[in-house]
């Protein structure tokens, strides 16, 4: 598959581009990045890779698929451009920061015949797949309550646009919370939101020492007007959701927990999503049921394997006739939860 990478910020430069260059299913033909310094930081590109300054510069027929890895507020416009041209588009989360973005993408795909697949790498983690196996086997029974948390001790993103609502659409809830909600919907299915209660705060943004060590610092004077912590309780028609996310805290380690309570058992996954070096020392999956408590085996996994896993399945995902409808359905479900939490936090303030 001939691909173009649009956007060489951190996720493009450090996560997707090197994996695409190494993967046998893909041939990187072009990159799009207006900033020469960002292109330079990406390192030497293979011979024959064209560098464009603007996404409109990609010639018709130059590529089969486009990875849109740009700042959040540009996702719908840029992805929509390629969908109207009939291309396959892989879009980094969040798909959009408002419902209008999803309508734009749907209209563009219908007009041009392009297909959309969303970045959902966390679904491809080996430990999440093990948790999904329990759910599919009916081991937990009927869903009742999900406890989701991703708390970093030192993890404020360094890119300046990440901490501005205008460009990011929100803070830690849009960033880490989107991953958690998407995984929950993958495991239990989405359910209409009945009500939400949420509180947000921003105690660590701009403070010395709380930036993510794997992320370039934004530099002095970067604007910050988003939340770095959120705690929410969401009632859906099928189950309850307790959500806690933080870019900064006094936690010693950066940790992710997914706890699913059902009528027949509880499963607890303890790990660390993402690339933080301050990780939980071991991953664990524990099952509590009528037979007691059991630690379940997890297959070995390296940091970042989930991204390779999504690339392995990408050709099949694009080939599905309902690819775009499924992607936009997943995006709408996640955005509905995120928006409900933001509305509740605004009411609390």
């Amino acid at each position: 598959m001939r691909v173009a990478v649009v956007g060489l910020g951190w996720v493009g430069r450090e996560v997707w581009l090197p994996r695409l260059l190494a993967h046998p299913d893909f041939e990187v033909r072009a990159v799009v990045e207006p900033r020469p310094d960002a292109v330079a930081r990406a390192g030497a590109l293979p011979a024959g890779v064209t560098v464009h300054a603007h996404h409109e510069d990609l010639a018709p027929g130059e590529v089969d698929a486009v990875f849109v890895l740009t700042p959040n507020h540009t996702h719908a416009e840029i992805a929509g451009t390629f969908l109207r041209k009939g291309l396959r588009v892989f879009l980094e989360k969040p798909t959009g920061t408002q419902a209008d973005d999803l309508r734009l993408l749907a209209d563009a795909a219908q007009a041009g015949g392009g297909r959309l697949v969303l970045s959902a790498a966390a679904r491809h983690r080996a430990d999440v797949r093990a948790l999904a196996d329990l759910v599919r086997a009916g081991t937990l029974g009927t869903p009742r309550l999900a406890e989701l948390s991703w708390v970093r001790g030192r993890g404020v993103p360094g890119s300046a646009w990440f901490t501005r609502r205008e460009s990011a659409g929100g803070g830690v809830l849009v960033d880490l919370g989107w991953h958690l909600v998407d995984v929950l919907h993958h495991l239990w299915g989405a359910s209409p939101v009945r009500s939400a209660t949420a509180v947000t705060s921003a105690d660590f943004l701009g403070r010395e020492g709380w930036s993510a060590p794997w992320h370039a610092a934004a530099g002095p004077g970067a604007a910050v007007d988003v939340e770095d912590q959120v705690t929410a309780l969401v009632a859906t028609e099928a189950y309850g959701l307790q959500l806690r996310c933080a870019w900064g805290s006094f936690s010693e380690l950066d940790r992710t927990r997914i706890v699913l309570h059902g009528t027949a058992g509880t499963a607890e996954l303890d790990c660390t999503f993402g690339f933080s070096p301050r990780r939980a020392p071991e991953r664990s999956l524990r099952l509590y049921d009528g037979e007691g408590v059991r630690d379940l085996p997890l297959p070995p996994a390296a940091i970042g394997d989930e991204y390779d896993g999504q690339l392995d399945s990408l050709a099949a995902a694009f080939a599905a006739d309902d690819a775009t409808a499924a992607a936009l359905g997943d995006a709408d479900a996640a955005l509905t939860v995120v928006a409900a939490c933001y509305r509740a936090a605004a009411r609390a303030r």
Side-chain angles (χ1 to χ4, degrees):
M1 193 184 300
R2 301 172 304 159
V3 301
V5 173
V6 181
L8 290 178
W10 181 85
V11 74
R13 185 177 66 248
E14 302 292 337
V15 178
W16 291 113
L17 179 59
R19 286 175 168 80
L20 284 166
L21 290 171
H23 201 287
D25 289 352
F26 303 94
E27 180 185 359
V28 178
R29 288 288 188 89
V31 298
V32 178
E33 174 55 61
R35 301 167 301 161
D37 60 316
V39 177
R41 283 197 300 272
L45 295 170
V49 176
T50 305
V51 179
H52 298 293
H54 194 275
H55 66 275
E56 293 280 12
D57 296 336
L58 273 174
E62 189 174 353
V63 296
D64 307 306
V66 179
F67 279 63
V68 176
L69 313 173
T70 54
N72 295 354
H73 69 294
T74 67
H75 283 182
E77 176 193 352
I78 293 177
T81 297
F82 294 120
L83 290 170
R84 288 188 194 94
K85 294 179 179 180
L87 289 168
R88 288 169 277 188
V89 176
F90 178 91
L91 182 58
E92 185 55 82
K93 62 86 189 166
T95 313
T97 57
Q98 53 189 350
D100 286 348
D101 294 335
L102 305 189
R103 285 191 286 271
L104 185 158
L105 291 167
D107 291 344
Q110 184 174 17
R115 290 193 178 183
L116 181 66
V117 169
L118 308 183
S119 175
R123 297 185 179 195
H124 297 266
R125 289 179 58 92
D127 44 22
V128 170
R129 290 200 305 269
L131 187 54
D133 289 342
L134 290 178
V135 173
R136 281 194 296 268
T139 305
L140 305 183
T142 304
R144 286 293 182 250
L145 172 67
E147 300 176 57
L148 311 180
S149 66
W150 187 348
V151 175
R152 293 175 179 168
R154 304 288 189 274
V156 178
S159 300
W161 66 264
F162 243 118
T163 55
R164 295 199 301 267
R165 187 167 300 278
E166 179 184 26
S167 51
V172 70
L173 179 57
V174 170
D175 182 27
L176 307 187
W178 187 288
H179 284 291
L180 294 176
V181 171
D182 179 71
V183 167
L184 175 63
H185 290 167
H186 172 60
L187 295 169
W188 269 359
S191 177
V193 174
R194 293 192 315 199
S195 63
T197 301
V199 291
T200 60
S201 58
D203 300 319
F204 299 94
L205 294 178
R207 287 175 61 175
E208 183 92 23
W210 262 268
S211 294
W214 64 95
H215 221 278
V224 289
D225 63 353
V226 298
E227 80 287 351
D228 61 24
Q229 297 185 66
V230 60
T231 302
L233 182 61
V234 180
T236 78
E237 291 184 3
Y239 51 77
L241 164 61
Q242 180 179 307
L243 181 66
R244 164 84 170 129
C245 297
W247 277 338
S249 71
F250 295 104
S251 174
E252 182 180 1
L253 297 174
D254 298 350
R255 217 170 198 125
T256 309
R257 292 181 71 249
I258 299 176
V259 187
L260 302 180
H261 300 277
T263 55
T266 291
E268 179 183 64
L269 174 61
D270 192 334
C271 58
T272 303
F273 280 15
F275 294 88
S276 170
R278 298 160 46 93
R279 311 182 70 79
E282 295 181 357
R283 299 172 302 138
S284 65
L285 178 59
R286 183 164 291 179
L287 175 64
Y288 304 80
D289 61 12
E291 298 180 15
V293 182
R294 286 170 282 163
D295 286 315
L296 304 181
L298 290 173
I303 296 173
D305 276 359
E306 59 268 34
Y307 296 90
D308 293 307
Q310 182 155 26
L311 289 182
D312 291 341
S313 65
L314 192 55
F318 275 132
D321 290 338
D322 65 342
T324 302
L328 292 175
D330 289 343
D332 181 65
L335 185 58
T336 296
V337 174
V338 168
C341 292
Y342 277 135
R343 287 195 300 270
R347 290 195 299 270
R349 285 193 300 272

